[in-house]
Coordinates of all heavy atoms in Angstrom, one line a residue:
M1 N 146.7 101.8 110.3 CA 146.8 102.8 111.3 C 145.8 102.4 112.4 O 146.0 101.5 113.2 CB 146.5 104.2 110.7 CG 147.1 105.3 111.5 SD 147.1 106.8 110.5 CE 147.2 108.0 111.7
D18 N 140.1 99.9 117.6 CA 140.4 98.6 117.1 C 141.7 98.2 117.7 O 142.4 98.9 118.4 CB 140.4 98.7 115.5 CG 141.7 99.3 115.0 OD1 142.1 100.4 115.5 OD2 142.3 98.8 114.1
R20 N 144.3 96.6 115.7 CA 145.3 96.3 114.7 C 146.5 97.3 114.7 O 146.2 98.5 114.7 CB 144.7 96.3 113.3 CG 145.7 95.9 112.2 CD 145.0 95.6 110.9 NE 144.3 94.3 111.0 CZ 143.6 93.8 110.0 NH1 143.4 94.5 108.9 NH2 143.0 92.6 110.2
V21 N 147.7 96.8 114.6 CA 148.9 97.7 114.5 C 149.5 97.2 113.2 O 149.8 96.0 113.0 CB 149.9 97.5 115.7 CG1 151.1 98.3 115.4 CG2 149.2 97.9 117.0
V22 N 149.9 98.2 112.3 CA 150.5 97.9 111.0 C 151.8 98.7 110.9 O 151.9 99.8 111.5 CB 149.6 98.2 109.9 CG1 148.3 97.3 109.9 CG2 149.2 99.6 109.7
D23 N 152.7 98.2 110.1 CA 153.9 98.9 109.7 C 153.5 99.8 108.5 O 153.1 99.2 107.5 CB 155.0 97.9 109.3 CG 156.3 98.6 109.0 OD1 156.3 99.6 108.2 OD2 157.3 98.2 109.6
Q24 N 153.5 101.1 108.7 CA 153.1 102.0 107.6 C 154.0 101.9 106.4 O 153.5 102.3 105.3 CB 153.0 103.4 108.1 CG 151.8 103.6 109.1 CD 150.4 103.5 108.4 OE1 150.2 104.1 107.4 NE2 149.6 102.6 108.9
V25 N 155.2 101.4 106.5 CA 156.1 101.4 105.4 C 155.9 100.0 104.6 O 155.7 100.0 103.4 CB 157.6 101.5 105.8 CG1 158.5 101.4 104.6 CG2 157.7 102.9 106.5
T26 N 156.0 98.9 105.3 CA 155.9 97.6 104.7 C 154.4 97.1 104.5 O 154.2 96.2 103.8 CB 156.6 96.5 105.5 OG1 155.9 96.4 106.7 CG2 158.1 97.0 105.7
K27 N 153.5 97.8 105.2 CA 152.0 97.4 105.2 C 151.8 96.1 105.8 O 150.8 95.4 105.6 CB 151.5 97.4 103.7 CG 151.7 98.7 102.9 CD 151.1 99.9 103.6 CE 151.3 101.1 102.7 NZ 151.3 102.3 103.4
E28 N 152.7 95.6 106.6 CA 152.6 94.4 107.3 C 151.8 94.5 108.6 O 152.0 95.5 109.4 CB 154.0 93.8 107.7 CG 153.9 92.6 108.5 CD 155.3 92.2 109.0 OE1 156.3 92.9 108.7 OE2 155.4 91.2 109.7
V29 N 150.8 93.6 108.9 CA 150.1 93.6 110.1 C 151.0 93.1 111.2 O 151.4 91.9 111.1 CB 148.8 92.8 110.0 CG1 148.1 92.8 111.4 CG2 147.8 93.4 109.0
I30 N 151.3 93.8 112.2 CA 152.2 93.5 113.3 C 151.4 92.8 114.5 O 151.9 91.9 115.1 CB 153.0 94.7 113.8 CG1 153.8 95.2 112.6 CG2 153.9 94.3 115.0 CD1 154.4 96.6 112.9
E32 N 147.2 92.3 116.3 CA 145.7 92.4 116.2 C 145.0 92.7 117.5 O 143.8 93.0 117.5 CB 145.1 91.1 115.6 CG 145.5 90.8 114.2 CD 144.7 91.7 113.2 OE1 143.9 92.5 113.6 OE2 145.0 91.5 112.0
S140 N 142.7 106.3 110.2 CA 143.8 106.1 109.2 C 143.6 107.1 108.0 O 142.5 107.4 107.6 CB 143.8 104.7 108.7 OG 144.6 104.5 107.6
N142 N 144.1 106.1 105.2 CA 143.8 105.2 104.1 C 142.3 105.4 103.7 O 141.9 104.9 102.6 CB 144.0 103.7 104.5 CG 145.5 103.5 104.8 OD1 146.4 104.1 104.2 ND2 145.7 102.6 105.7
V143 N 141.5 105.9 104.6 CA 140.1 106.2 104.2 C 140.0 107.5 103.4 O 140.5 108.5 103.9 CB 139.2 106.3 105.5 CG1 137.8 106.6 105.1 CG2 139.3 105.0 106.3
V179 N 134.3 100.8 108.8 CA 135.6 101.3 108.4 C 136.5 100.2 108.1 O 137.3 100.2 107.1 CB 136.2 102.3 109.5 CG1 137.6 102.6 109.1 CG2 135.3 103.5 109.6
S180 N 136.5 99.1 108.9 CA 137.4 98.0 108.7 C 137.1 97.3 107.3 O 138.0 96.7 106.8 CB 137.4 97.0 109.8 OG 136.1 96.3 109.9
N181 N 135.9 97.4 106.8 CA 135.6 96.8 105.5 C 136.2 97.7 104.4 O 136.3 97.1 103.3 CB 134.1 96.7 105.4 CG 133.5 95.6 106.2 OD1 134.2 94.6 106.5 ND2 132.2 95.7 106.5
I182 N 136.5 98.9 104.6 CA 137.1 99.8 103.5 C 138.5 100.2 103.8 O 139.1 100.7 102.9 CB 136.2 101.0 103.3 CG1 136.1 101.9 104.5 CG2 134.8 100.6 102.7 CD1 135.3 103.2 104.3
D183 N 139.0 99.9 104.9 CA 140.4 100.2 105.3 C 141.1 99.0 105.9 O 140.9 98.6 107.0 CB 140.4 101.4 106.3 CG 141.8 101.9 106.7 OD1 142.8 101.3 106.3 OD2 141.8 102.9 107.3
W184 N 142.1 98.5 105.1 CA 142.8 97.3 105.5 C 143.6 97.5 106.8 O 143.9 96.5 107.5 CB 143.9 96.9 104.4 CG 145.0 97.9 104.3 CD1 145.0 99.1 103.5 CD2 146.2 98.0 105.0 NE1 146.1 99.8 103.7 CE2 146.9 99.1 104.6 CE3 146.8 97.1 106.0 CZ2 148.2 99.4 105.1 CZ3 148.0 97.4 106.5 CH2 148.7 98.6 106.0
S185 N 143.9 98.7 107.2 CA 144.7 99.0 108.4 C 143.9 99.0 109.7 O 144.5 99.2 110.8 CB 145.6 100.2 108.2 OG 144.8 101.4 108.3
V186 N 142.6 98.9 109.6 CA 141.7 98.9 110.8 C 141.2 97.5 111.0 O 140.6 96.9 110.1 CB 140.5 99.9 110.6 CG1 139.6 99.8 111.8 CG2 141.1 101.3 110.5
G187 N 141.4 96.9 112.2 CA 141.0 95.6 112.5 C 139.6 95.5 113.0 O 139.0 96.5 113.4

Side-chain angles (χ1 to χ4, degrees):
M1 203 165 159
D18 76 313
R20 182 170 287 176
V21 176
V22 300
D23 185 309
Q24 289 294 307
V25 176
T26 67
K27 309 300 186 207
E28 175 188 359
V29 175
I30 299 168
E32 291 283 3
S140 168
N142 299 328
V143 177
V179 174
S180 67
N181 286 335
I182 58 175
D183 182 350
W184 67 272
S185 70
V186 174

